[in-house]
Amino acid sequence: MCGIVGYVGVKQAAPILLSGLMRLEYRGYDSAGIAVRNDSAEHIEVVKAKGRLKNLMDMTDSGRAVAGCCGIGHTRWATHGEPSVLNAHPHFSEEKRVVAVHNGIIENYQEIAETLKKKGYVVKSQTDTEVAVLLLDSYYAENAKKGMNSCERALDAITHLMNRVRGSYALGILFGDQPGVIYAARKDSPLIIGQCTAEERGNLIASDVPAVLGLTRNIIYMENYEIARLTQDEIHLYNMDGEEIEKPVVSIQWDETAAEKDGYEHFMMKEIHEQPRAVRDTLSPRIKEDEQGEYIDLSELPWKQEDFAELSRVVIVGCGSAYHVGCAARYVIESLAAIPCEVDLASEFRYRSPIMDEQSLVIIISQSGETADSLAALRLCRERGVKTLAIVNVVGSSIAREADAVIYTWAGPEIAVATTKAFSTQLIVVYLLAIKLAAAKGRIDRSREAELAREMLSLPEKMERVLSDKERVQWFANKMSVCKDVFFVGRGMDYAISMEGSLKLKEISYIHSEAYAAGELKHGTISLIEDGVLVVGIATQPDLFEKVMSNMVEVRSRGAYLFGLTTYGQYAIEDIVNFTVYVPRTEKLFSTSLAIIPLQLLAYYISCAKGLDVDKPRNLAKSVTVE
């Protein structure tokens, strides 16, 4: 949620800030603002606007009207206080002695506000961020009386702030008496530093990599309780004791063109089409071949074959689409490896006192690697000494760094709020893990492992075949865009994919949508079926096809309009449903990878038909970094 960009260098800052914020629009926001310091001026200029970034760009002539080579910018997602210019970031103290932007939540802000009022401070907005800024101002003012230099004053004030506040934060800070300097600090909210080349003479901060790709691909990932001080030529990092620390510079392999639409109308459609490539990239380094055929190579993990063999249970934790990946993974892992597998919503995991032991493996799935609830679940597992494995897309993210082991999905940047290619690559990783576990447990031999590996390698081509039929889905979506209620039903793995299809539809079309295990329809839900209600029936599992068809007949008799999704060859479905989409046959445990694509397309085209903002749906953010 929210976006932060900061720049200090030899170029004009405001256009860079606005460009970076545009690349972070996918994170979700309802207002935006920038603060720029002109070296020749005595003050910091702050410009804020409610609504989309275009409003701020119009006010500033795309940044050209705000002079200065040092500044910070922010897109705000309202948590404390309504969306408004007053509540928008940056916030500042009197005479702009301290100006800051903030991602996260200050949990004890009311307590701090009461203390500040006693000192004569006036809180003008409804935000927790302004309270943090005023607290920082009070510490900075106190330090001025102690004979510290400006850097020492700032570092000490920021450290005191970090010790005092409770909650999560990523902070970008300007001090009025320190031109050409940006400070940054973080705890439980992502923040990176972009290091420009010596020729460029400039440095940046941001809440995510795409914001800085226009100027650099050299990134430093800030850890919790670290503070940074940036000038146009230098980057200094400090711990909470004020000691300077060294951090590695990571080179990002994808460039800024990966975050462009590349001719597609929306990022979501581009990313739907990128799924075959993303799956190939995720598979290719992990399927090897020897004289016995293909095999799964997860040598990137620190565990040996016997470590996998000793596992007695797998627990998968995730939020939203990542949770749905876990639901599909449960069927694959239990079927192939015969290991009990539990799936938990990360937001609930800590509250049921989960029972785990040293033979358990907890898998945390997160696209961003910064999901607050998933990160909290990971830390609970680590406190209890349980092995943890992260499946994430963002290199160097918090979950990736803190887990015992990580498998990266090579999906590349995903900009649309509704996940598509990240979901598909997460599925691929859990397939690989399931096969690895099954082999370690002796549940499959090398022949079966090779067979499964070859079938996985064929998935990208089959995904491309599904995409080639997208116009039929578009025709149906245009017809059904007036729907008010939609139900997705399936059995087994098809139930898992029903949940993801339903989520996609409600995320971007705002149509009420629910997913049910098909056998549960008669236990209450069927009372909601009436004339014209759309029911999407998913039946890719051969052994469950007839049972799902029976459920479809049942809802059809009550007036439902039926969309059927199955594999080629199951043509009996056309006698039952009103519209059918077929996907190529594959190993039934991998069918989810193909079946999800028509459901993504259905949601996308319905949203387009309704004239909605596909990439930035209302009330949603790409990365949920607060609980």
Side-chain angles (χ1 to χ4, degrees):
M1 292 183 179
C2 306
I4 287 175
V5 181
Y7 171 79
V8 54
V10 296
K11 298 181 179 180
Q12 290 297 300
I16 292 172
L17 299 178
L18 291 170
S19 176
L21 292 174
M22 287 183 66
R23 295 178 184 277
L24 297 179
E25 282 190 296
Y26 64 88
R27 296 176 68 89
Y29 69 100
D30 44 50
S31 59
I34 58 173
V36 178
R37 172 66 179 266
N38 189 336
D39 292 347
S40 63
E42 295 183 356
H43 69 282
I44 299 168
E45 184 173 358
V46 176
V47 186
K48 303 192 283 188
K50 180 182 175 182
R52 291 299 183 191
L53 266 171
K54 184 180 184 303
N55 299 334
L56 186 60
M57 295 182 74
D58 289 344
M59 290 173 64
T60 62
D61 189 22
S62 297
R64 289 183 289 269
V66 184
C69 298
C70 177
I72 52 178
H74 189 268
T75 48
R76 175 182 184 251
W77 177 275
T79 55
H80 295 75
E82 65 183 8
S84 68
V85 173
L86 180 62
N87 290 330
H89 298 216
H91 286 281
F92 48 87
S93 62
E94 187 177 349
E95 297 180 355
K96 299 189 178 72
R97 289 189 299 261
V98 179
V99 182
V101 293
H102 163 231
N103 287 353
I105 291 180
I106 307 300
E107 295 172 357
N108 59 334
Y109 80 101
Q110 291 178 319
E111 167 194 320
I112 296 171
E114 291 302 316
T115 302
L116 289 168
K117 287 177 184 177
K118 294 175 183 177
K119 293 183 178 182
Y121 283 92
V122 177
V123 180
K124 299 176 182 178
S125 73
Q126 301 166 296
T127 69
D128 55 338
T129 302
E130 186 187 5
V131 172
V133 170
L134 298 180
L135 180 63
L136 187 59
D137 180 87
S138 71
Y139 289 142
Y140 195 65
E142 290 170 10
N143 287 345
K145 305 171 186 176
K146 299 177 182 179
M148 299 178 178
N149 64 40
S150 59
C151 178
E152 291 170 340
R153 288 172 60 195
L155 292 176
D156 185 79
I158 294 169
T159 301
H160 273 78
L161 174 80
M162 295 170 77
N163 280 317
R164 178 70 186 280
V165 303
R166 296 194 304 271
S168 61
Y169 48 81
L171 291 164
I173 307 162
L174 303 178
F175 291 96
D177 61 354
Q178 295 192 52
V181 182
I182 296 175
Y183 289 87
R186 72 151 285 183
K187 175 184 174 288
D188 294 338
S189 194
L191 197 62
I192 64 164
I193 297 169
Q195 183 183 56
C196 294
T197 62
E199 293 77 19
E200 287 283 350
R201 296 193 66 198
N203 294 299
L204 306 102
I205 62 169
S207 47
D208 206 353
V209 171
V212 305
L213 288 179
L215 291 177
T216 183
R217 287 193 286 169
N218 295 324
I219 304 299
I220 298 171
Y221 290 96
M222 292 186 68
E223 305 274 1
N224 277 349
Y225 300 110
E226 290 183 348
I227 304 168
R229 183 179 189 271
L230 283 66
T231 65
Q232 66 181 26
D233 297 315
E234 297 180 339
I235 297 171
H236 298 277
L237 288 130
Y238 306 87
N239 60 23
M240 289 281 284
D241 295 323
E243 300 167 336
E244 191 159 359
I245 56 177
E246 297 293 328
K247 300 279 291 185
V249 178
V250 178
S251 178
I252 300 300
Q253 297 306 306
W254 42 273
D255 59 26
E256 62 179 319
T257 60
E260 301 291 346
K261 291 181 182 176
D262 197 25
Y264 289 93
E265 186 175 356
H266 300 99
F267 279 111
M268 184 176 178
M269 181 54 89
K270 178 196 176 197
E271 290 158 9
I272 288 172
H273 279 81
E274 287 176 338
Q275 288 176 111
R277 188 272 309 158
V279 166
R280 284 191 186 96
D281 290 348
T282 301
L283 280 174
S284 59
R286 292 159 179 145
I287 295 183
K288 303 293 178 59
E289 185 176 4
D290 60 16
E291 63 279 0
Q292 298 182 61
E294 292 82 358
Y295 66 95
I296 306 304
D297 179 4
L298 295 181
S299 55
E300 62 204 279
L301 299 179
W303 304 308
K304 299 178 181 178
Q305 188 86 341
E306 50 266 34
D307 296 317
F308 286 106
E310 291 172 359
L311 292 176
S312 62
R313 181 169 53 161
V314 173
V315 180
I316 302 176
V317 179
C319 298
S321 294
Y323 171 75
H324 299 155
V325 171
C327 291
R330 176 173 53 196
Y331 290 101
V332 182
I333 290 171
E334 292 187 342
S335 176
L336 284 177
I339 300 176
C341 181
E342 301 173 20
V343 186
D344 272 276
L345 289 165
S347 56
E348 290 293 321
F349 180 71
R350 290 169 290 157
Y351 308 123
R352 69 172 182 88
S353 299
I355 299 170
M356 300 171 290
D357 56 35
E358 60 185 19
Q359 275 75 50
S360 298
L361 173 65
V362 177
I363 302 172
I364 310 291
I365 305 177
S366 169
Q367 185 277 140
S368 68
E370 302 290 350
T371 310
D373 288 312
S374 300
L375 186 56
L378 168 62
R379 289 171 177 167
L380 174 64
C381 294
R382 297 208 64 186
E383 287 172 9
R384 297 190 179 183
V386 180
K387 286 191 287 291
T388 55
L389 169 64
I391 300 175
V392 300
N393 189 43
V394 179
V395 175
S397 55
S398 296
I399 290 175
R401 294 195 307 271
E402 295 189 28
D404 296 321
V406 59
I407 300 179
Y408 287 112
T409 60
W410 301 116
E414 188 175 68
I415 306 302
V417 167
T419 183
T420 52
K421 61 178 179 173
F423 176 87
S424 290
T425 52
Q426 289 165 357
L427 280 175
I428 291 299
V429 171
V430 298
Y431 298 161
L432 292 167
L433 277 169
I435 297 169
K436 185 70 174 179
L437 286 167
K441 290 283 188 180
R443 299 290 301 183
I444 60 173
D445 58 18
R446 275 299 305 274
S447 175
R448 176 62 170 154
E449 182 176 352
E451 178 186 359
L452 291 168
R454 285 194 297 273
E455 188 56 39
M456 289 184 70
L457 290 171
S458 74
L459 287 174
E461 181 181 353
K462 292 177 179 178
M463 296 170 83
E464 288 168 349
R465 287 177 59 192
V466 177
L467 286 167
S468 69
D469 199 30
K470 63 179 182 291
E471 285 78 11
R472 292 189 67 250
V473 179
Q474 182 179 16
W475 173 86
F476 182 80
N478 290 338
K479 182 178 179 181
M480 302 307 296
S481 62
V482 295
C483 282
K484 301 297 183 184
D485 300 282
V486 181
F487 294 95
F488 290 73
V489 298
R491 290 174 182 257
M493 292 191 66
D494 289 335
Y495 170 49
I497 204 65
S498 293
M499 290 189 284
E500 178 62 11
S502 175
L503 178 62
K504 282 291 151 289
L505 185 65
K506 69 181 70 172
E507 277 182 317
I508 62 173
S509 75
Y510 317 146
I511 293 173
H512 169 252
S513 172
E514 301 291 344
Y516 288 93
E520 291 297 299
L521 280 170
K522 60 178 64 68
H523 295 286
T525 307
I526 201 166
S527 66
L528 298 174
I529 302 299
E530 56 187 21
D531 285 348
V533 168
L534 176 61
V535 176
V536 179
I538 303 164
T540 68
Q541 305 296 296
D543 52 335
L544 295 172
F545 179 82
E546 290 183 355
K547 289 185 180 294
V548 176
M549 290 304 100
S550 294
N551 297 128
M552 297 295 276
V553 169
E554 195 172 16
V555 294
R556 186 184 65 180
S557 68
R558 286 153 176 86
Y561 196 84
L562 305 184
F563 176 118
L565 175 58
T566 189
T567 57
Y568 284 106
Q570 298 282 20
Y571 301 121
I573 194 173
E574 296 189 8
D575 295 329
I576 298 169
V577 306
N578 301 97
F579 180 80
T580 308
V581 170
Y582 296 98
V583 297
R585 288 181 180 272
T586 186
E587 160 65 46
K588 67 177 184 178
L589 295 174
F590 304 155
S591 63
T592 303
S593 290
L594 304 179
I596 187 55
I597 296 176
L599 303 183
Q600 294 168 344
L601 291 168
L602 178 67
Y604 172 81
Y605 283 126
I606 286 179
S607 180
C608 289
K610 295 181 70 174
L612 301 175
D613 191 340
V614 175
D615 289 333
K616 298 184 285 293
R618 68 188 184 198
N619 303 331
L620 296 179
K622 182 66 175 174
S623 180
V624 183
T625 57
V626 295
E627 294 183 47

